[in-house]
Amino acid sequence: MILRNGSVFTDLGRFIPADVELEGDRIVRVAPANTLEGDEVLDCTGKYVTPGFVDIHMHGAFGSDFCDGTAEDICTISRYEGSVGVTTFMGTTMAFDEPILTGIFEAANTRFGKEGEGAVLRGVNMEGPFFNKSKKGAQAEKYIVDPDFDMFKRLYDLTGGNIRLVDVAPELPGAVEFIRKASQLCTVSIAHTSATYDEAKEAFANGATHTTHLFNAMPAFTHRAPGVVGAASDYAAHVEMISDGIHLHPAVVRAVFSLFGADRVCLISDSMRAAGMPNGEYSLGGQKVFMTDGKATLEDGTIAGSATCLPECFRRAVGFGVPVETALKAATINPAKAVGLFDELGSITAGKRADVLVMDKGTLQPEVIFIGGKRQ
């Protein structure tokens, strides 16, 4: 398949006029525009040709949750995500005990890397249970515990090393030692925390590189107490941001890109099962969630994840004034790098997976979606 004469988003984070050749599940060539010939040609004149979206923090969609712990629910999520332009995702957990997490991961083991159901599950984001109860957000307090590396390692081994990101509050007892050990196995992220600047700085010094949903479930960023946000600006390789217009004000979305630059921000959805669904009552982590017009909350009004898919978060970021190239990099290249997948996906590069979108330049909606070279 030749994708001819599109505005192709390169691994340098900019658009160039080019042809792209797909063969099997791979991108085999990126060449100057209107130079490639083939039996199948898709005219992409006036369109963007981009990598598929990479969502490294999402709980569920279309009525299903990763923590439902069934292969069927994972397939439902995959189909929905693939239909909107997400081609890779990390199934994200909530705070649960080890027996519950074991069941969730056993189901995930049947779906890691599996093709043919839409977006591909390529790992786990273990969000919880190693959190500060004072910043639990929508996490169930009864399951929150201090960092336990032995528990984490048992679950990591159970998944065959497919936990790609684990979250921890660095001020908790044993957290620094946990970070030191866990960072040898996967990306470690600061999350659901009351850490000071110095406590977060120590976490980064001992192997943490990532920050979960910046500003949410952490101390405020102030001029005398910069906290986690300030430490992340100095030391984090990547930070996550939910740009749904509910979790953060549009001015904050713009400010994050100004503070962290185009290479360090990862847009995420943090979506739960209400994404793609009508208003109504749902659940997250065993708790009731009410979704009204895209806003998901617990009964007490606490925001409970999002009901917005990553491609829509990307479009909203652009609507808030973030340049298309910057927002797109934050939804493809940067998250792939953050979880160690960039060698395989996340950019339009010869040799990588043929996870490719042909996107309308006006609406930023994907018109054609390829996942592993197969048109969806």
Side-chain angles (χ1 to χ4, degrees), residues 285-299:
Q287 301 180 91
K288 287 183 180 179
V289 175
F290 301 90
M291 194 274 282
T292 304
D293 298 334
K295 184 175 183 178
T297 62
L298 301 181
E299 291 183 278

Side-chain angles (χ1 to χ4, degrees), residues 35-248:
T35 61
L36 296 182
E37 300 292 340
D39 293 334
E40 288 186 274
V41 176
L42 180 63
D43 184 7
C44 298
T45 302
K47 309 293 184 183
Y48 288 139
V49 178
T50 77
F53 292 98
V54 179
D55 197 347
I56 61 172
H57 187 153
M58 67 87 62
H59 297 274
F62 213 63
S64 289
D65 192 294
F66 180 68
C67 289
D68 289 343
T70 74
E72 182 180 355
D73 283 295
I74 295 172
C75 288
T76 296
I77 295 167
S78 293
R79 286 191 292 268
Y80 172 77
E81 293 295 306
S83 74
V84 298
V86 175
T87 55
T88 290
F89 71 101
M90 300 290 109
T92 303
T93 60
M94 298 287 287
F96 285 118
D97 60 22
E98 187 172 352
I100 294 174
L101 290 171
T102 295
I104 293 166
F105 294 161
E106 284 175 344
N109 281 342
T110 68
R111 295 304 308 167
F112 289 129
K114 289 290 191 300
E115 309 278 350
E117 292 284 351
V120 181
L121 175 68
R122 296 207 174 273
V124 171
N125 176 343
M126 187 173 162
E127 190 187 14
F130 310 130
F131 292 152
N132 191 316
K133 292 179 180 179
S134 71
K135 292 292 184 180
K136 65 182 184 294
Q139 306 281 342
E141 184 171 331
K142 66 180 179 179
Y143 293 118
I144 293 175
V145 296
D146 289 340
D148 181 341
F149 180 77
D150 290 338
M151 170 187 170
F152 166 75
K153 184 61 163 56
R154 288 190 294 271
L155 293 168
Y156 178 87
D157 290 342
L158 174 65
T159 68
N162 276 304
I163 296 177
R164 291 189 169 272
L165 195 155
V166 64
D167 299 35
V168 62
E171 70 276 18
L172 297 177
V176 172
E177 181 64 18
F178 177 93
I179 292 167
R180 192 176 296 124
K181 292 179 178 178
S183 62
Q184 301 302 307
L185 301 175
C186 69
T187 300
V188 176
S189 187
I190 294 176
H192 290 269
T193 174
S194 292
T196 64
Y197 175 93
D198 288 335
E199 287 168 332
K201 177 182 176 180
E202 185 178 14
F204 289 122
N206 281 276
T209 58
H210 197 83
T211 307
T212 297
H213 44 51
L214 198 68
F215 292 103
N216 296 116
M218 63 183 60
F221 174 54
T222 68
H223 60 301
R224 292 195 182 94
V228 174
V229 177
S233 72
D234 284 342
Y235 302 108
H238 295 98
V239 296
E240 297 175 359
M241 179 166 61
I242 311 168
S243 56
D244 61 354
I246 295 170
H247 284 77
L248 301 174

Side-chain angles (χ1 to χ4, degrees), residues 9 12-13 237-238 256-267 322-323 325-331 333-335 337:
F9 190 67
L12 299 178
H238 295 98
V256 167
F257 281 104
S258 295
L259 181 61
F260 287 88
D263 296 333
R264 301 168 66 196
V265 180
C266 299
L267 294 183
V322 178
E325 295 90 341
T326 302
L328 189 56
K329 188 172 188 179
I333 293 171
N334 297 349
K337 287 181 175 179

